[in-house]
Amino acid sequence: MIRTLKTTLLPLVTLAFLLAGCGERHEARSMAQDFMEEHMPMQDYEVVRWSRLDSTFFVTPVALKAMHAEAERSKIVNHRVSYQGYTPKLLFMHGWFAHDRDTVSRTFYFDDKLQGIVGVKRN
């Protein structure tokens, strides 16, 4: 009985976790690209690669506010952006893009439920 559980249940559970992780990563990439098209001046770019989706508890509301101000000041975003609300746990993903014969990198921060972007920064 235990051997049957190990040989059938364990691979199924592992597969379910892998598929869930891939789905979240795809959702985050899609959300970041939509954000770039709507709010960022970088129009002609090609995605070089995306990092894996990870999480952090170390970004505070004060740090996010500074990130928003820096994004506007340095013109990473076109205009004042309405971001998703802060959650103590944030998800993040790095993206590398070919743009104007250069490679640029941006980090996108998402709320813990992947409902929206809470911040973006230049790396």
Side-chain angles (χ1 to χ4, degrees):
M1 175 73 173
I2 292 176
R3 182 176 215 152
T4 304
L5 285 175
K6 284 184 181 178
T7 59
T8 58
L9 189 59
L10 187 58
L12 289 175
V13 170
T14 303
L15 180 63
F17 279 119
L18 285 173
L19 291 176
C22 291
E24 285 183 339
R25 183 174 181 216
H26 177 74
E27 180 67 26
R29 278 189 296 194
S30 177
M31 201 178 298
Q33 286 182 290
D34 290 347
F35 182 89
M36 289 175 69
E37 289 175 15
E38 186 175 344
H39 300 292
M40 298 175 82
M42 202 167 60
Q43 294 301 316
D44 296 321
Y45 68 91
E46 184 177 325
V47 175
V48 175
R49 74 181 180 99
W50 290 100
S51 72
R52 67 183 176 90
L53 186 63
D54 206 346
S55 64
T56 183
F57 288 93
F58 296 112
V59 179
T60 65
V62 172
L64 271 179
K65 191 172 185 179
M67 192 183 303
H68 297 165
E70 175 61 21
E72 287 181 35
R73 186 193 66 70
S74 64
K75 302 198 184 316
I76 292 174
V77 294
N78 285 329
H79 48 79
R80 194 162 194 64
V81 176
S82 178
Y83 294 97
Q84 181 72 23
Y86 171 80
T87 56
K89 175 186 175 185
L90 296 177
L91 303 174
F92 68 94
M93 179 180 272
H94 305 287
W96 289 266
F97 313 97
H99 177 66
D100 288 340
R101 295 183 170 183
D102 197 9
T103 301
V104 296
S105 176
R106 302 290 184 259
T107 301
F108 297 89
Y109 291 89
F110 309 89
D111 67 296
D112 61 351
K113 303 273 193 265
L114 268 181
Q115 295 177 339
I117 292 179
V118 299
V120 62
K121 73 175 187 175
R122 179 186 321 202
N123 298 333

